[in-house]
PDB file of all heavy atoms in Angstrom:
ATOM      1  N   VAL A 230       0.843  -1.204   0.000  1.00  0.00           N
ATOM      2  CA  VAL A 230       0.000   0.000   0.000  1.00  0.00           C
ATOM      3  C   VAL A 230       0.874   1.247   0.000  1.00  0.00           C
ATOM      4  O   VAL A 230       0.654   2.194  -0.775  1.00  0.00           O
ATOM      5  CB  VAL A 230      -0.941   0.009   1.225  1.00  0.00           C
ATOM      6  CG1 VAL A 230      -1.680   1.351   1.319  1.00  0.00           C
ATOM      7  CG2 VAL A 230      -1.939  -1.132   1.145  1.00  0.00           C
ATOM      8  N   THR A 231       1.867   1.269   0.873  1.00  0.00           N
ATOM      9  CA  THR A 231       2.777   2.415   0.961  1.00  0.00           C
ATOM     10  C   THR A 231       3.516   2.624  -0.352  1.00  0.00           C
ATOM     11  O   THR A 231       3.682   3.759  -0.807  1.00  0.00           O
ATOM     12  CB  THR A 231       3.788   2.201   2.104  1.00  0.00           C
ATOM     13  OG1 THR A 231       3.079   2.022   3.337  1.00  0.00           O
ATOM     14  CG2 THR A 231       4.711   3.400   2.237  1.00  0.00           C
ATOM     15  N   TYR A 232       3.942   1.533  -0.964  1.00  0.00           N
ATOM     16  CA  TYR A 232       4.662   1.606  -2.233  1.00  0.00           C
ATOM     17  C   TYR A 232       3.760   2.149  -3.339  1.00  0.00           C
ATOM     18  O   TYR A 232       4.149   3.056  -4.086  1.00  0.00           O
ATOM     19  CB  TYR A 232       5.165   0.211  -2.598  1.00  0.00           C
ATOM     20  CG  TYR A 232       6.049   0.147  -3.813  1.00  0.00           C
ATOM     21  CD1 TYR A 232       7.429   0.131  -3.683  1.00  0.00           C
ATOM     22  CD2 TYR A 232       5.507   0.090  -5.097  1.00  0.00           C
ATOM     23  CE1 TYR A 232       8.257   0.055  -4.799  1.00  0.00           C
ATOM     24  CE2 TYR A 232       6.320   0.023  -6.217  1.00  0.00           C
ATOM     25  CZ  TYR A 232       7.695   0.002  -6.058  1.00  0.00           C
ATOM     26  OH  TYR A 232       8.497  -0.062  -7.167  1.00  0.00           O
ATOM     27  N   ALA A 233       2.547   1.595  -3.439  1.00  0.00           N
ATOM     28  CA  ALA A 233       1.629   1.996  -4.505  1.00  0.00           C
ATOM     29  C   ALA A 233       1.195   3.445  -4.370  1.00  0.00           C
ATOM     30  O   ALA A 233       0.918   4.117  -5.367  1.00  0.00           O
ATOM     31  CB  ALA A 233       0.405   1.084  -4.509  1.00  0.00           C
ATOM     32  N   CYS A 234       1.134   3.943  -3.141  1.00  0.00           N
ATOM     33  CA  CYS A 234       0.686   5.322  -2.906  1.00  0.00           C
ATOM     34  C   CYS A 234       1.849   6.276  -2.664  1.00  0.00           C
ATOM     35  O   CYS A 234       1.633   7.462  -2.396  1.00  0.00           O
ATOM     36  CB  CYS A 234      -0.276   5.364  -1.720  1.00  0.00           C
ATOM     37  SG  CYS A 234      -1.810   4.449  -2.010  1.00  0.00           S
ATOM     38  N   GLY A 235       3.068   5.779  -2.759  1.00  0.00           N
ATOM     39  CA  GLY A 235       4.245   6.614  -2.545  1.00  0.00           C
ATOM     40  C   GLY A 235       4.317   7.831  -3.446  1.00  0.00           C
ATOM     41  O   GLY A 235       4.730   8.917  -3.005  1.00  0.00           O
ATOM     42  N   PRO A 236       3.927   7.733  -4.750  1.00  0.00           N
ATOM     43  CA  PRO A 236       4.000   8.891  -5.647  1.00  0.00           C
ATOM     44  C   PRO A 236       3.137  10.074  -5.227  1.00  0.00           C
ATOM     45  O   PRO A 236       3.224  11.138  -5.844  1.00  0.00           O
ATOM     46  CB  PRO A 236       3.521   8.313  -6.990  1.00  0.00           C
ATOM     47  CG  PRO A 236       3.851   6.861  -6.917  1.00  0.00           C
ATOM     48  CD  PRO A 236       3.595   6.495  -5.489  1.00  0.00           C
ATOM     49  N   LEU A 237       2.288   9.913  -4.215  1.00  0.00           N
ATOM     50  CA  LEU A 237       1.469  11.034  -3.751  1.00  0.00           C
ATOM     51  C   LEU A 237       2.326  12.182  -3.222  1.00  0.00           C
ATOM     52  O   LEU A 237       1.912  13.334  -3.244  1.00  0.00           O
ATOM     53  CB  LEU A 237       0.516  10.567  -2.638  1.00  0.00           C
ATOM     54  CG  LEU A 237      -0.691   9.724  -3.069  1.00  0.00           C
ATOM     55  CD1 LEU A 237      -1.361   9.113  -1.851  1.00  0.00           C
ATOM     56  CD2 LEU A 237      -1.677  10.573  -3.857  1.00  0.00           C
ATOM     57  N   GLY A 238       3.524  11.870  -2.728  1.00  0.00           N
ATOM     58  CA  GLY A 238       4.401  12.905  -2.196  1.00  0.00           C
ATOM     59  C   GLY A 238       3.860  13.548  -0.930  1.00  0.00           C
ATOM     60  O   GLY A 238       3.956  14.766  -0.749  1.00  0.00           O
ATOM     61  N   CYS A 239       3.283  12.734  -0.045  1.00  0.00           N
ATOM     62  CA  CYS A 239       2.703  13.261   1.195  1.00  0.00           C
ATOM     63  C   CYS A 239       3.789  13.736   2.157  1.00  0.00           C
ATOM     64  O   CYS A 239       4.925  13.253   2.126  1.00  0.00           O
ATOM     65  CB  CYS A 239       1.873  12.180   1.884  1.00  0.00           C
ATOM     66  SG  CYS A 239       0.443  11.621   0.940  1.00  0.00           S
ATOM     67  N   VAL A 240       3.403  14.687   3.015  1.00  0.00           N
ATOM     68  CA  VAL A 240       4.293  15.102   4.096  1.00  0.00           C
ATOM     69  C   VAL A 240       4.575  13.901   4.984  1.00  0.00           C
ATOM     70  O   VAL A 240       5.713  13.589   5.310  1.00  0.00           O
ATOM     71  CB  VAL A 240       3.656  16.250   4.921  1.00  0.00           C
ATOM     72  CG1 VAL A 240       4.538  16.588   6.118  1.00  0.00           C
ATOM     73  CG2 VAL A 240       3.446  17.478   4.046  1.00  0.00           C
ATOM     74  N   LYS A 241       3.512  13.213   5.361  1.00  0.00           N
ATOM     75  CA  LYS A 241       3.628  11.980   6.127  1.00  0.00           C
ATOM     76  C   LYS A 241       2.506  11.054   5.690  1.00  0.00           C
ATOM     77  O   LYS A 241       1.349  11.277   6.012  1.00  0.00           O
ATOM     78  CB  LYS A 241       3.541  12.243   7.636  1.00  0.00           C
ATOM     79  CG  LYS A 241       3.686  10.974   8.483  1.00  0.00           C
ATOM     80  CD  LYS A 241       3.552  11.279   9.960  1.00  0.00           C
ATOM     81  CE  LYS A 241       3.657  10.011  10.800  1.00  0.00           C
ATOM     82  NZ  LYS A 241       3.490  10.299  12.255  1.00  0.00           N
ATOM     83  N   LEU A 242       2.854  10.021   4.946  1.00  0.00           N
ATOM     84  CA  LEU A 242       1.852   9.086   4.447  1.00  0.00           C
ATOM     85  C   LEU A 242       1.454   8.125   5.559  1.00  0.00           C
ATOM     86  O   LEU A 242       2.311   7.486   6.167  1.00  0.00           O
ATOM     87  CB  LEU A 242       2.412   8.322   3.252  1.00  0.00           C
ATOM     88  CG  LEU A 242       1.429   7.440   2.472  1.00  0.00           C
ATOM     89  CD1 LEU A 242       1.823   7.379   0.989  1.00  0.00           C
ATOM     90  CD2 LEU A 242       1.383   6.023   3.032  1.00  0.00           C
ATOM     91  N   VAL A 243       0.160   8.043   5.808  1.00  0.00           N
ATOM     92  CA  VAL A 243      -0.366   7.178   6.860  1.00  0.00           C
ATOM     93  C   VAL A 243      -1.420   6.250   6.269  1.00  0.00           C
ATOM     94  O   VAL A 243      -2.365   6.711   5.618  1.00  0.00           O
ATOM     95  CB  VAL A 243      -1.003   8.003   8.000  1.00  0.00           C
ATOM     96  CG1 VAL A 243      -1.633   7.076   9.046  1.00  0.00           C
ATOM     97  CG2 VAL A 243       0.035   8.902   8.652  1.00  0.00           C
ATOM     98  N   VAL A 244      -1.239   4.957   6.473  1.00  0.00           N
ATOM     99  CA  VAL A 244      -2.213   3.964   6.013  1.00  0.00           C
ATOM    100  C   VAL A 244      -3.226   3.743   7.125  1.00  0.00           C
ATOM    101  O   VAL A 244      -2.871   3.384   8.251  1.00  0.00           O
ATOM    102  CB  VAL A 244      -1.534   2.635   5.651  1.00  0.00           C
ATOM    103  CG1 VAL A 244      -2.581   1.620   5.174  1.00  0.00           C
ATOM    104  CG2 VAL A 244      -0.479   2.852   4.572  1.00  0.00           C
ATOM    105  N   GLY A 245      -4.496   3.997   6.824  1.00  0.00           N
ATOM    106  CA  GLY A 245      -5.543   3.828   7.819  1.00  0.00           C
ATOM    107  C   GLY A 245      -5.887   2.373   8.069  1.00  0.00           C
ATOM    108  O   GLY A 245      -5.359   1.462   7.415  1.00  0.00           O
ATOM    109  N   GLU A 246      -6.774   2.170   9.021  1.00  0.00           N
ATOM    110  CA  GLU A 246      -7.220   0.809   9.329  1.00  0.00           C
ATOM    111  C   GLU A 246      -7.946   0.204   8.130  1.00  0.00           C
ATOM    112  O   GLU A 246      -8.724   0.887   7.458  1.00  0.00           O
ATOM    113  CB  GLU A 246      -8.155   0.821  10.536  1.00  0.00           C
ATOM    114  CG  GLU A 246      -7.468   1.126  11.858  1.00  0.00           C
ATOM    115  CD  GLU A 246      -6.488   0.034  12.247  1.00  0.00           C
ATOM    116  OE1 GLU A 246      -6.808  -1.162  12.041  1.00  0.00           O
ATOM    117  OE2 GLU A 246      -5.402   0.368  12.737  1.00  0.00           O
ATOM    118  N   PRO A 247      -7.691  -1.054   7.828  1.00  0.00           N
ATOM    119  CA  PRO A 247      -8.372  -1.681   6.693  1.00  0.00           C
ATOM    120  C   PRO A 247      -9.879  -1.752   6.916  1.00  0.00           C
ATOM    121  O   PRO A 247     -10.341  -1.935   8.042  1.00  0.00           O
ATOM    122  CB  PRO A 247      -7.746  -3.078   6.631  1.00  0.00           C
ATOM    123  CG  PRO A 247      -7.244  -3.333   8.016  1.00  0.00           C
ATOM    124  CD  PRO A 247      -6.796  -1.998   8.529  1.00  0.00           C
ATOM    125  N   VAL A 248     -10.616  -1.600   5.829  1.00  0.00           N
ATOM    126  CA  VAL A 248     -12.079  -1.638   5.882  1.00  0.00           C
ATOM    127  C   VAL A 248     -12.546  -2.901   5.167  1.00  0.00           C
ATOM    128  O   VAL A 248     -12.209  -3.127   4.000  1.00  0.00           O
ATOM    129  CB  VAL A 248     -12.696  -0.398   5.207  1.00  0.00           C
ATOM    130  CG1 VAL A 248     -14.222  -0.459   5.282  1.00  0.00           C
ATOM    131  CG2 VAL A 248     -12.174   0.882   5.865  1.00  0.00           C
ATOM    132  N   SER A 249     -13.300  -3.729   5.861  1.00  0.00           N
ATOM    133  CA  SER A 249     -13.793  -4.981   5.276  1.00  0.00           C
ATOM    134  C   SER A 249     -15.082  -4.736   4.496  1.00  0.00           C
ATOM    135  O   SER A 249     -15.902  -3.889   4.862  1.00  0.00           O
ATOM    136  CB  SER A 249     -14.045  -6.022   6.369  1.00  0.00           C
ATOM    137  OG  SER A 249     -12.850  -6.355   7.030  1.00  0.00           O
ATOM    138  N   PHE A 250     -15.256  -5.488   3.420  1.00  0.00           N
ATOM    139  CA  PHE A 250     -16.489  -5.395   2.641  1.00  0.00           C
ATOM    140  C   PHE A 250     -16.713  -6.723   1.923  1.00  0.00           C
ATOM    141  O   PHE A 250     -15.801  -7.538   1.798  1.00  0.00           O
ATOM    142  CB  PHE A 250     -16.419  -4.244   1.627  1.00  0.00           C
ATOM    143  CG  PHE A 250     -15.368  -4.405   0.560  1.00  0.00           C
ATOM    144  CD1 PHE A 250     -15.700  -4.861  -0.708  1.00  0.00           C
ATOM    145  CD2 PHE A 250     -14.041  -4.099   0.821  1.00  0.00           C
ATOM    146  CE1 PHE A 250     -14.733  -5.012  -1.693  1.00  0.00           C
ATOM    147  CE2 PHE A 250     -13.063  -4.236  -0.158  1.00  0.00           C
ATOM    148  CZ  PHE A 250     -13.411  -4.698  -1.417  1.00  0.00           C
ATOM    149  N   SER A 251     -17.942  -6.921   1.482  1.00  0.00           N
ATOM    150  CA  SER A 251     -18.307  -8.155   0.791  1.00  0.00           C
ATOM    151  C   SER A 251     -18.330  -7.893  -0.713  1.00  0.00           C
ATOM    152  O   SER A 251     -18.892  -6.888  -1.177  1.00  0.00           O
ATOM    153  CB  SER A 251     -19.680  -8.632   1.261  1.00  0.00           C
ATOM    154  OG  SER A 251     -20.054  -9.815   0.590  1.00  0.00           O
ATOM    155  N   TYR A 252     -17.685  -8.803  -1.475  1.00  0.00           N
ATOM    156  CA  TYR A 252     -17.633  -8.634  -2.925  1.00  0.00           C
ATOM    157  C   TYR A 252     -17.665 -10.009  -3.579  1.00  0.00           C
ATOM    158  O   TYR A 252     -16.767 -10.816  -3.375  1.00  0.00           O
ATOM    159  CB  TYR A 252     -16.355  -7.890  -3.320  1.00  0.00           C
ATOM    160  CG  TYR A 252     -16.198  -7.659  -4.806  1.00  0.00           C
ATOM    161  CD1 TYR A 252     -16.970  -6.707  -5.467  1.00  0.00           C
ATOM    162  CD2 TYR A 252     -15.273  -8.396  -5.542  1.00  0.00           C
ATOM    163  CE1 TYR A 252     -16.825  -6.491  -6.830  1.00  0.00           C
ATOM    164  CE2 TYR A 252     -15.113  -8.185  -6.905  1.00  0.00           C
ATOM    165  CZ  TYR A 252     -15.900  -7.231  -7.548  1.00  0.00           C
ATOM    166  OH  TYR A 252     -15.753  -7.018  -8.897  1.00  0.00           O
ATOM    167  N   GLN A 253     -18.713 -10.249  -4.331  1.00  0.00           N
ATOM    168  CA  GLN A 253     -18.883 -11.514  -5.051  1.00  0.00           C
ATOM    169  C   GLN A 253     -18.691 -12.724  -4.145  1.00  0.00           C
ATOM    170  O   GLN A 253     -17.985 -13.671  -4.480  1.00  0.00           O
ATOM    171  CB  GLN A 253     -17.916 -11.564  -6.238  1.00  0.00           C
ATOM    172  CG  GLN A 253     -18.190 -10.501  -7.288  1.00  0.00           C
ATOM    173  CD  GLN A 253     -17.276 -10.597  -8.492  1.00  0.00           C
ATOM    174  OE1 GLN A 253     -16.320 -11.374  -8.511  1.00  0.00           O
ATOM    175  NE2 GLN A 253     -17.549  -9.813  -9.519  1.00  0.00           N
ATOM    176  N   GLY A 254     -19.305 -12.662  -2.977  1.00  0.00           N
ATOM    177  CA  GLY A 254     -19.272 -13.775  -2.043  1.00  0.00           C
ATOM    178  C   GLY A 254     -17.995 -13.899  -1.239  1.00  0.00           C
ATOM    179  O   GLY A 254     -17.800 -14.901  -0.537  1.00  0.00           O
ATOM    180  N   ARG A 255     -17.105 -12.917  -1.317  1.00  0.00           N
ATOM    181  CA  ARG A 255     -15.832 -12.956  -0.584  1.00  0.00           C
ATOM    182  C   ARG A 255     -15.743 -11.760   0.353  1.00  0.00           C
ATOM    183  O   ARG A 255     -16.293 -10.698   0.090  1.00  0.00           O
ATOM    184  CB  ARG A 255     -14.654 -12.922  -1.569  1.00  0.00           C
ATOM    185  CG  ARG A 255     -14.638 -14.043  -2.559  1.00  0.00           C
ATOM    186  CD  ARG A 255     -13.645 -13.775  -3.682  1.00  0.00           C
ATOM    187  NE  ARG A 255     -12.278 -13.672  -3.177  1.00  0.00           N
ATOM    188  CZ  ARG A 255     -11.252 -13.272  -3.918  1.00  0.00           C
ATOM    189  NH1 ARG A 255     -11.441 -12.919  -5.183  1.00  0.00           N
ATOM    190  NH2 ARG A 255     -10.039 -13.208  -3.409  1.00  0.00           N
ATOM    191  N   ARG A 256     -15.034 -11.955   1.462  1.00  0.00           N
ATOM    192  CA  ARG A 256     -14.754 -10.856   2.379  1.00  0.00           C
ATOM    193  C   ARG A 256     -13.385 -10.288   2.021  1.00  0.00           C
ATOM    194  O   ARG A 256     -12.364 -10.980   2.090  1.00  0.00           O
ATOM    195  CB  ARG A 256     -14.754 -11.329   3.835  1.00  0.00           C
ATOM    196  CG  ARG A 256     -16.100 -11.763   4.355  1.00  0.00           C
ATOM    197  CD  ARG A 256     -17.144 -10.662   4.302  1.00  0.00           C
ATOM    198  NE  ARG A 256     -16.773  -9.513   5.120  1.00  0.00           N
ATOM    199  CZ  ARG A 256     -17.460  -8.372   5.139  1.00  0.00           C
ATOM    200  NH1 ARG A 256     -18.523  -8.212   4.363  1.00  0.00           N
ATOM    201  NH2 ARG A 256     -17.063  -7.378   5.927  1.00  0.00           N
ATOM    202  N   LEU A 257     -13.366  -9.030   1.624  1.00  0.00           N
ATOM    203  CA  LEU A 257     -12.141  -8.380   1.180  1.00  0.00           C
ATOM    204  C   LEU A 257     -11.894  -7.121   2.008  1.00  0.00           C
ATOM    205  O   LEU A 257     -12.705  -6.750   2.850  1.00  0.00           O
ATOM    206  CB  LEU A 257     -12.244  -8.026  -0.307  1.00  0.00           C
ATOM    207  CG  LEU A 257     -12.553  -9.186  -1.256  1.00  0.00           C
ATOM    208  CD1 LEU A 257     -12.792  -8.674  -2.664  1.00  0.00           C
ATOM    209  CD2 LEU A 257     -11.414 -10.204  -1.240  1.00  0.00           C
ATOM    210  N   LYS A 258     -10.763  -6.468   1.736  1.00  0.00           N
ATOM    211  CA  LYS A 258     -10.417  -5.250   2.476  1.00  0.00           C
ATOM    212  C   LYS A 258      -9.855  -4.200   1.520  1.00  0.00           C
ATOM    213  O   LYS A 258      -9.231  -4.528   0.515  1.00  0.00           O
ATOM    214  CB  LYS A 258      -9.364  -5.553   3.551  1.00  0.00           C
ATOM    215  CG  LYS A 258      -9.839  -6.464   4.667  1.00  0.00           C
ATOM    216  CD  LYS A 258      -8.717  -6.719   5.668  1.00  0.00           C
ATOM    217  CE  LYS A 258      -9.186  -7.649   6.787  1.00  0.00           C
ATOM    218  NZ  LYS A 258      -8.101  -7.924   7.764  1.00  0.00           N
ATOM    219  N   TYR A 259     -10.106  -2.947   1.866  1.00  0.00           N
ATOM    220  CA  TYR A 259      -9.419  -1.851   1.193  1.00  0.00           C
ATOM    221  C   TYR A 259      -8.808  -0.946   2.258  1.00  0.00           C
ATOM    222  O   TYR A 259      -9.148  -1.031   3.448  1.00  0.00           O
ATOM    223  CB  TYR A 259     -10.346  -1.073   0.254  1.00  0.00           C
ATOM    224  CG  TYR A 259     -11.381  -0.201   0.940  1.00  0.00           C
ATOM    225  CD1 TYR A 259     -11.081   1.102   1.335  1.00  0.00           C
ATOM    226  CD2 TYR A 259     -12.682  -0.666   1.157  1.00  0.00           C
ATOM    227  CE1 TYR A 259     -12.041   1.906   1.942  1.00  0.00           C
ATOM    228  CE2 TYR A 259     -13.643   0.124   1.768  1.00  0.00           C
ATOM    229  CZ  TYR A 259     -13.315   1.411   2.153  1.00  0.00           C
ATOM    230  OH  TYR A 259     -14.258   2.191   2.763  1.00  0.00           O
ATOM    231  N   TYR A 260      -7.886  -0.089   1.816  1.00  0.00           N
ATOM    232  CA  TYR A 260      -7.121   0.714   2.768  1.00  0.00           C
ATOM    233  C   TYR A 260      -7.208   2.199   2.416  1.00  0.00           C
ATOM    234  O   TYR A 260      -6.812   2.600   1.314  1.00  0.00           O
ATOM    235  CB  TYR A 260      -5.646   0.290   2.754  1.00  0.00           C
ATOM    236  CG  TYR A 260      -5.434  -1.149   3.151  1.00  0.00           C
ATOM    237  CD1 TYR A 260      -5.654  -2.179   2.240  1.00  0.00           C
ATOM    238  CD2 TYR A 260      -5.033  -1.486   4.440  1.00  0.00           C
ATOM    239  CE1 TYR A 260      -5.483  -3.508   2.604  1.00  0.00           C
ATOM    240  CE2 TYR A 260      -4.858  -2.813   4.809  1.00  0.00           C
ATOM    241  CZ  TYR A 260      -5.088  -3.819   3.885  1.00  0.00           C
ATOM    242  OH  TYR A 260      -4.923  -5.126   4.248  1.00  0.00           O
ATOM    243  N   PRO A 261      -7.729   3.026   3.327  1.00  0.00           N
ATOM    244  CA  PRO A 261      -7.672   4.467   3.103  1.00  0.00           C
ATOM    245  C   PRO A 261      -6.253   4.966   3.402  1.00  0.00           C
ATOM    246  O   PRO A 261      -5.590   4.458   4.307  1.00  0.00           O
ATOM    247  CB  PRO A 261      -8.683   5.025   4.114  1.00  0.00           C
ATOM    248  CG  PRO A 261      -8.724   4.004   5.207  1.00  0.00           C
ATOM    249  CD  PRO A 261      -8.455   2.676   4.552  1.00  0.00           C
ATOM    250  N   VAL A 262      -5.793   5.914   2.619  1.00  0.00           N
ATOM    251  CA  VAL A 262      -4.440   6.444   2.773  1.00  0.00           C
ATOM    252  C   VAL A 262      -4.527   7.958   2.977  1.00  0.00           C
ATOM    253  O   VAL A 262      -5.205   8.652   2.203  1.00  0.00           O
ATOM    254  CB  VAL A 262      -3.573   6.119   1.544  1.00  0.00           C
ATOM    255  CG1 VAL A 262      -2.170   6.700   1.698  1.00  0.00           C
ATOM    256  CG2 VAL A 262      -3.494   4.601   1.342  1.00  0.00           C
ATOM    257  N   TYR A 263      -3.833   8.457   3.996  1.00  0.00           N
ATOM    258  CA  TYR A 263      -3.929   9.859   4.371  1.00  0.00           C
ATOM    259  C   TYR A 263      -2.580  10.565   4.304  1.00  0.00           C
ATOM    260  O   TYR A 263      -1.521   9.936   4.407  1.00  0.00           O
ATOM    261  CB  TYR A 263      -4.465   9.985   5.810  1.00  0.00           C
ATOM    262  CG  TYR A 263      -5.798   9.329   6.050  1.00  0.00           C
ATOM    263  CD1 TYR A 263      -5.872   7.996   6.478  1.00  0.00           C
ATOM    264  CD2 TYR A 263      -6.986  10.019   5.856  1.00  0.00           C
ATOM    265  CE1 TYR A 263      -7.103   7.379   6.702  1.00  0.00           C
ATOM    266  CE2 TYR A 263      -8.215   9.414   6.083  1.00  0.00           C
ATOM    267  CZ  TYR A 263      -8.264   8.097   6.504  1.00  0.00           C
ATOM    268  OH  TYR A 263      -9.472   7.496   6.742  1.00  0.00           O
ATOM    269  N   ASP A 264      -2.660  11.891   4.169  1.00  0.00           N
ATOM    270  CA  ASP A 264      -1.499  12.744   4.362  1.00  0.00           C
ATOM    271  C   ASP A 264      -1.678  13.400   5.725  1.00  0.00           C
ATOM    272  O   ASP A 264      -2.710  14.020   5.991  1.00  0.00           O
ATOM    273  CB  ASP A 264      -1.425  13.814   3.265  1.00  0.00           C
ATOM    274  CG  ASP A 264      -0.153  14.650   3.368  1.00  0.00           C
ATOM    275  OD1 ASP A 264       0.709  14.316   4.206  1.00  0.00           O
ATOM    276  OD2 ASP A 264      -0.024  15.632   2.620  1.00  0.00           O
ATOM    277  N   GLU A 265      -0.705  13.214   6.591  1.00  0.00           N
ATOM    278  CA  GLU A 265      -0.804  13.727   7.954  1.00  0.00           C
ATOM    279  C   GLU A 265       0.281  14.782   8.181  1.00  0.00           C
ATOM    280  O   GLU A 265       1.422  14.454   8.536  1.00  0.00           O
ATOM    281  CB  GLU A 265      -0.655  12.581   8.956  1.00  0.00           C
ATOM    282  CG  GLU A 265      -0.988  12.970  10.385  1.00  0.00           C
ATOM    283  CD  GLU A 265      -1.050  11.764  11.292  1.00  0.00           C
ATOM    284  OE1 GLU A 265      -2.125  11.137  11.392  1.00  0.00           O
ATOM    285  OE2 GLU A 265      -0.001  11.434  11.881  1.00  0.00           O
ATOM    286  N   PRO A 266      -0.051  16.068   7.972  1.00  0.00           N
ATOM    287  CA  PRO A 266       0.933  17.134   8.166  1.00  0.00           C
ATOM    288  C   PRO A 266       1.252  17.325   9.648  1.00  0.00           C
ATOM    289  O   PRO A 266       0.554  16.809  10.530  1.00  0.00           O
ATOM    290  CB  PRO A 266       0.240  18.371   7.584  1.00  0.00           C
ATOM    291  CG  PRO A 266      -1.224  18.075   7.744  1.00  0.00           C
ATOM    292  CD  PRO A 266      -1.363  16.588   7.573  1.00  0.00           C
TER     293      PRO A 266
END
């Protein structure tokens, strides 16, 4: 996640808590990514 979002050039890149969701019968996760000045 940090690598894929590295080009954002954040002051401080912070990966938030993963969020679970249901998709096509599977439990998956996505990750919100923040800039924390």
Side-chain angles (χ1 to χ4, degrees):
V230 172
T231 302
Y232 186 97
C234 296
L237 286 168
C239 297
V240 175
K241 181 182 178 182
L242 189 149
V243 176
V244 180
E246 289 294 320
V248 180
S249 297
F250 64 100
S251 179
Y252 180 74
Q253 296 183 352
R255 301 167 62 189
R256 293 300 299 173
L257 304 173
K258 294 179 181 179
Y259 72 86
Y260 299 79
V262 179
Y263 303 91
D264 185 6
E265 190 171 273

